[in-house]
Amino acid sequence: MQYISDIDRIIINALKEDIPSGDITTDNIIDETSESEAVLISKDEGVIAGLDVAKKVFLMLDDKVVFEKMVEDGQAVKRGDIIAKIKGNTRALLKGERTALNLLQRLSGIATKTRQLADKIKDLPAKLVDTRKTTPGLRILEKYAVRVGGGYNHRYCLSDGVLIKDNHIKAAGGIKQAIGLVREKIPHTMKIEVETESIEQVLEALDAKADIIMLDNMGLDKMKEAVKIINGKAITEASGNVNADTIYDIASTGVDIISVGGLTHSVKAFDISMKIS
């Protein structure tokens, strides 16, 4: 049985969505034997991510397409830079254009946003990580783009690790109860993270021996106090209200990790165009 990767499946579904029964414009204008050359041009400034994904889009439509990368993922580009050259069947180039650009622009936007935030705390020990606030179906690609931009990945999915959030705490009757219940069932190798919103909850999480304590939407003074109380007995993660203006001050509180949902859930697409010569 032929193996289909998650990335292949994403591309196949995207192409099915965009070309469900042919391209009525291209198929009636372009001869099926026509060959063309094209370039992908940056119309923005930032970090590129997803070139191999874009390449795969075109190869699925024509396995003879030649896709030459002029830059590599993780490389910074400026407006007007040619990031790739493509040669192949004209119909394939036109049919793959939007799908390839949608994915490339999305991933490059994430990598660019991540690099901007990561650079602001590069002189501090805190790590910038993503969340599960990703586009449905694109998580594997979006988390890849975060790594390209210089960030790190939090858990990939709900099956990866324990993260006890406010609703779990309410349902269980408290942090100590929630940690006790989950600890009875999980392997001894798995860590437990708990979300806290107050110093009282931090103390409760410490008493229950949580491995990671999330400081959720805390002000800077309260966060500093929490880090001092925890004093290395657990990994500390800051979350909420993190942006380019606040991230350095948050990192300066001494937290180990800063998680930012905005890396993926509300990022601006990187502007790229394809031009046939």
Side-chain angles (χ1 to χ4, degrees):
M1 183 172 66
Q2 186 177 7
Y3 172 74
I4 299 177
S5 72
D6 289 339
I7 294 173
D8 286 346
R9 191 172 290 109
I10 289 169
I11 294 171
I12 289 168
N13 288 337
L15 288 172
K16 284 181 178 178
E17 178 182 59
D18 206 35
I19 323 170
S21 55
D23 177 349
I24 195 168
T25 309
T26 297
D27 290 342
N28 285 296
I29 293 175
I30 308 300
D31 187 273
E32 63 182 0
T33 63
S34 173
E35 298 280 322
S36 294
E37 296 182 4
V39 292
L40 298 183
I41 303 172
S42 171
K43 299 175 70 177
D44 217 332
E45 293 186 5
V47 179
I48 293 297
L51 281 169
D52 286 333
V53 179
K55 175 181 179 179
K56 186 167 282 194
V57 170
F58 293 110
L59 286 173
M60 281 191 176
L61 293 166
D62 175 12
D63 60 9
K64 295 182 177 60
V65 162
V66 176
F67 188 101
E68 182 183 3
K69 293 184 288 185
M70 308 306 293
V71 300
E72 295 294 334
D73 279 7
Q75 189 170 330
V77 298
K78 59 184 184 298
R79 291 179 182 85
D81 284 352
I82 295 175
I83 61 178
K85 295 180 179 180
I86 317 167
K87 183 177 181 180
N89 180 269
T90 308
R91 286 189 179 185
L93 299 190
L94 292 171
K95 291 178 181 181
E97 176 182 0
R98 181 42 49 201
T99 296
L101 288 179
N102 281 349
L103 293 169
L104 184 59
Q105 290 180 143
R106 176 75 181 164
L107 301 188
S108 296
I110 291 169
T112 297
K113 178 69 174 288
T114 303
R115 180 72 56 83
Q116 289 169 348
L117 292 184
D119 280 350
K120 288 184 176 294
I121 59 170
K122 63 183 178 182
D123 297 326
L124 295 170
K127 285 185 175 180
L128 173 66
V129 306
D130 55 24
T131 71
R132 286 169 37 250
K133 295 177 181 178
T134 54
T135 307
L138 296 183
R139 183 170 293 167
I140 190 172
L141 294 178
E142 294 187 346
K143 281 184 171 283
Y144 163 75
V146 167
R147 297 195 303 274
V148 169
Y152 296 83
N153 296 148
H154 207 295
R155 59 178 179 164
Y156 180 78
C157 63
L158 292 173
S159 305
D160 274 355
V162 176
L163 175 45
I164 300 170
K165 297 175 72 67
D166 56 347
N167 286 327
H168 297 112
I169 293 167
K170 288 178 183 176
I175 288 175
K176 195 169 186 178
Q177 294 90 325
I179 290 178
L181 287 167
V182 77
R183 183 167 276 135
E184 291 179 0
K185 305 288 179 63
I186 62 172
H188 69 280
T189 54
M190 188 171 286
K191 292 183 178 181
I192 297 174
E193 179 171 7
V194 61
E195 177 183 281
T196 64
E197 298 175 346
S198 66
I199 296 301
E200 290 74 23
Q201 286 189 325
V202 168
L203 291 168
E204 188 179 356
L206 270 178
D207 186 56
K209 293 181 169 47
D211 301 294
I212 308 163
I213 298 177
M214 180 191 292
L215 311 175
D216 189 46
N217 287 297
M218 286 190 182
L220 291 174
D221 290 341
K222 187 181 289 186
M223 195 176 294
K224 287 177 185 176
E225 183 183 354
V227 170
K228 187 176 180 179
I229 290 169
I230 294 166
N231 194 30
K233 298 182 186 73
I235 295 169
T236 52
E237 175 183 336
S239 181
N241 299 314
V242 183
N243 55 50
D245 296 325
T246 63
I247 191 168
Y248 185 85
D249 289 338
I250 291 171
S252 297
T253 65
V255 293
D256 301 302
I257 297 165
I258 302 174
S259 56
V260 184
L263 295 180
T264 53
H265 76 59
S266 56
V267 72
K268 176 180 177 292
F270 192 95
D271 197 0
I272 299 169
S273 66
M274 187 182 92
K275 297 295 183 184
I276 288 182
S277 56

